[in-house]
Amino acid sequence: MKQGLLIVVSGPAGSGKGTTLKHIFQSPKHGKKYTFSVSATTRAPRPGEVDGVNYHFLTRESFEARIREGERLEWTEYCGNYYGTPIAPIQRWLYEGKNVILEIEVQGAEKVMDKRDDLVSIFLAVPSMEELERRLRGRGTETNEVIERRLAAAKQELTRVPRYQYVVLNDEVEQAVARINTIIDAENLRYSRM
Ligand code: 5GP
């Protein structure tokens, strides 16, 4: 059976990764093509977030135990919290031929690039820093201090764009979704993947 694709969608917080991927998974035409990897984090759940659906919410101790046990494809410390991708389900899904999407920040994405040369890497870009700030503040879920830290992280993350295979501008969500689907369809037609 053909192996599934491992796809990383990265970009600064506020670039709209979550919203864009939600649209992809809810799309009747394309949603079934993808499996979403649920990350683990030590940050507190936001209102409405469900353990095991949005994230696996862990204490620092249990996150560190999983790092020691080698259970992460990648992990990073971002704005004071751990975030990481569990490796076991991903290996299983790829083997089963599923296309797996990781929605992770830039440092983690680079770690996956270093490990897997078959990775499809997509950077989601915003039209401007002003728009990024507007989106981060518009969420209304973070304190001013967290927003400032995320903006500083975003400036750093933008310098990493050249490492990605694809850059998708997220000016309008439907457009971004269509661009990502086009990339995946083309990747599936590569001779080297047949
Ligand atoms: P948030 O706290 O807003 O849910 O996520 C903060 C950042 O962490 C986002 O850029 C998100 O994409 C990223 N992130 C989520 N899960 C992971 C993960 O497993 N690994 C890494 N490296 N970053 C992640």
Side-chain angles (χ1 to χ4, degrees):
M1 196 213 285
K2 195 174 162 220
Q3 271 245 4
L5 293 180
L6 182 61
I7 304 145
V8 69
V9 176
S10 194
S15 60
K17 301 189 290 286
T19 311
T20 307
L21 293 181
K22 207 152 126 200
H23 274 74
I24 291 186
F25 288 111
Q26 287 172 352
S27 142
K29 191 163 159 222
H30 298 285
K32 292 207 168 48
K33 290 195 292 202
Y34 303 109
T35 301
F36 181 67
S37 157
V38 179
S39 295
T41 184
T42 57
R43 84 148 162 73
R46 295 187 186 125
E49 282 186 334
V50 178
D51 187 37
V53 175
N54 304 93
Y55 280 106
H56 301 288
F57 293 100
L58 302 179
T59 61
R60 288 186 80 83
E61 293 70 35
S62 55
F63 196 104
E64 284 165 2
R66 283 169 171 83
I67 297 172
R68 280 196 301 277
E69 286 152 15
E71 286 181 13
R72 303 278 94 121
L73 172 63
E74 61 72 39
W75 63 273
T76 196
E77 200 160 4
Y78 171 83
C79 293
N81 285 301
Y82 287 131
Y83 292 82
T85 309
I87 193 162
I90 292 178
Q91 284 170 332
R92 191 178 68 243
W93 289 325
L94 293 177
Y95 181 74
E96 290 168 356
K98 294 179 176 149
N99 299 316
V100 181
I101 300 194
L102 313 179
E103 187 243 285
I104 63 180
E105 53 64 69
V106 167
Q107 283 183 50
E110 292 195 13
K111 288 182 196 161
V112 187
M113 287 175 200
D114 292 340
K115 281 189 183 165
R116 310 255 331 191
D117 53 14
D118 57 346
L119 180 72
V120 180
S121 57
I122 303 175
F123 189 94
L124 206 57
V126 266
S128 65
M129 280 309 282
E130 291 72 31
E131 173 63 12
L132 192 79
E133 182 163 357
R134 201 186 59 76
R135 289 185 195 177
L136 280 176
R137 294 197 187 280
R139 270 185 192 168
T141 51
E142 262 85 30
T143 61
N144 208 29
E145 190 206 330
V146 170
I147 291 171
E148 293 299 330
R149 285 172 82 178
R150 287 183 173 221
L151 275 170
K155 283 192 185 129
Q156 190 54 38
E157 288 174 324
L158 285 172
T159 64
R160 310 306 299 165
V161 186
R163 279 214 65 186
Y164 289 74
Q165 294 165 323
Y166 298 98
V167 179
V168 166
L169 179 67
N170 188 18
D171 45 356
E172 208 267 303
V173 71
E174 292 303 335
Q175 290 282 346
V177 167
R179 289 170 188 141
I180 292 174
N181 281 319
T182 304
I183 292 167
I184 304 309
D185 287 346
E187 283 288 336
N188 268 312
L189 295 175
R190 267 184 200 264
Y191 179 70
S192 59
R193 297 197 189 272
M194 291 188 185

